[in-house]
Amino acid sequence: MTTATDVKAGGTAAALRNLYLVRFGFALIWAVLLFLTGPGSDPVSVALLVIYPLFDVAAAVVDLRSSKTARPAAALYVNLALSLLAAIGLAATAASGVPAVLRVWGAWAITAGIVQLIVAVSRRRLGGQWAMILSGAISAIAGTGFILQAGTPTASLTSLAGYATVGGVFFLISALRLHRTAKST
């Protein structure tokens, strides 16, 4: 016998699974495009840099609308605001050069990683959240690395492609684990 809570959890798991699969695909495509544009900050790179946090804003909106039970709304709204500020900051600093962009991206990665960690811990009953917990922690650490890299002569935007790829893999792992939860309820 399934309870109403089980059905809601299954629906939430299915919605998150689908969202995470889309996020995985986006992260991979984005990473390849950024890597192919090279280490500079030309108009294509700038557009890609702004699109990434804007996609995160859209994902937070979808998450808010689709996940019914495990919905830490306050944290998702914080993530939405952080990502919107990051997009604005990246657009504003793009003309200042790669180091400025890395500092903004790093600050966003740290704060968004902490929020992702909080959201994932609150959703751990759904299953598949250990990957999101790790992803949040790694994002915060990587953000620190981006800020430190900004002060070096080898500062490059291509390191962000690796960051997005790793994050995408964590979304895929979580989606696969959530598939089991969605299927079993």
Side-chain angles (χ1 to χ4, degrees), residues 6-183:
D6 291 338
V7 172
K8 285 182 184 177
T12 299
L16 288 175
R17 175 200 62 214
N18 295 339
L19 176 61
Y20 290 176
L21 285 172
V22 169
R23 292 192 74 159
F24 163 70
F26 174 81
L28 276 165
I29 292 167
W30 183 89
V32 167
L33 291 173
L34 185 69
F35 185 77
L36 292 175
T37 62
S41 58
D42 59 33
V44 174
S45 295
V46 173
L48 286 169
L49 291 171
V50 173
I51 287 169
Y52 196 94
L54 289 178
F55 183 83
D56 201 53
V57 167
V61 169
V62 170
D63 194 337
L64 279 164
R65 290 182 177 175
S66 63
S67 60
K68 304 293 187 241
T69 55
R71 183 171 85 167
L76 290 172
Y77 282 117
V78 168
N79 183 56
L80 196 148
L82 288 171
S83 296
L84 188 56
L85 287 172
I88 293 166
L90 290 165
T93 60
S96 301
V98 171
V101 169
L102 285 173
R103 287 183 187 101
V104 171
W105 191 283
W108 175 51
I110 292 168
T111 56
I114 292 167
V115 171
Q116 182 180 15
L117 182 62
I118 292 166
V119 170
V121 167
S122 72
R123 289 179 168 165
R124 67 188 177 281
R125 290 184 187 168
L126 283 176
Q129 294 303 302
W130 66 267
M132 293 294 92
I133 291 168
L134 282 174
S135 180
I138 290 170
S139 183
I141 293 167
T144 303
F146 295 137
I147 292 170
L148 293 174
Q149 181 192 10
T152 68
T154 59
S156 169
L157 297 181
T158 55
S159 60
L160 302 180
Y163 168 79
T165 302
V166 170
V169 168
F170 279 117
F171 276 114
L172 176 62
I173 292 167
S174 190
L176 295 173
R177 296 287 300 155
L178 286 168
H179 179 70
R180 292 181 190 170
T181 302
K183 209 172 156 183

